[in-house]
Amino acid sequence: MTDALLRAMLTARPEIKADGDAFDVQGDASVELLLTAQSGHMPLSKVTRVALGEFVTISTQDADYLVPLERIAGLKVSTRAKDESRTGFRR
């Protein structure tokens, strides 16, 4: 992924607020970054902040990850409230 593409993806979503080179997840939105690995793709969930620079700093509720930009493959944004249920399924 390129810096320009990741910025465009992050700024395209109203749930993510830009602050210079940092992007903060707002409210009850759920954000995951899809990372590439030798065995395929893996999601990095509970993202709270993404900061762009020489590398990407991804902050989650549990830790900070420093990742090369080329390892990021995609972005998932969900705004479904946690207490909503789907027909026939309960979480």
Side-chain angles (χ1 to χ4, degrees):
M1 178 163 310
T2 65
D3 180 84
L5 179 57
L6 182 55
R7 284 178 193 273
M9 293 168 83
L10 292 166
T11 57
R13 300 300 307 203
E15 303 90 348
I16 302 172
K17 181 181 176 190
D19 181 16
D21 287 335
F23 300 85
D24 296 303
V25 178
Q26 303 295 302
D28 62 352
S30 173
V31 173
E32 293 182 12
L33 284 175
L34 185 61
L35 305 177
T36 59
Q38 289 179 347
S39 60
H41 297 296
M42 61 180 210
L44 182 59
S45 59
K46 300 179 183 179
V47 173
T48 58
R49 182 181 180 101
V50 177
L52 305 178
E54 186 176 340
F55 48 85
V56 181
T57 302
I58 304 166
S59 299
T60 69
Q61 294 174 354
D62 303 319
D64 291 336
Y65 299 85
L66 287 66
V67 179
L69 182 61
E70 60 270 9
R71 292 290 185 204
I72 299 175
L75 178 71
K76 175 184 174 184
V77 180
S78 174
T79 55
R80 185 171 65 94
K82 292 178 183 176
D83 61 345
E84 288 183 21
S85 62
R86 297 180 294 176
T87 304
F89 298 96
R90 298 214 37 103
R91 288 188 175 195

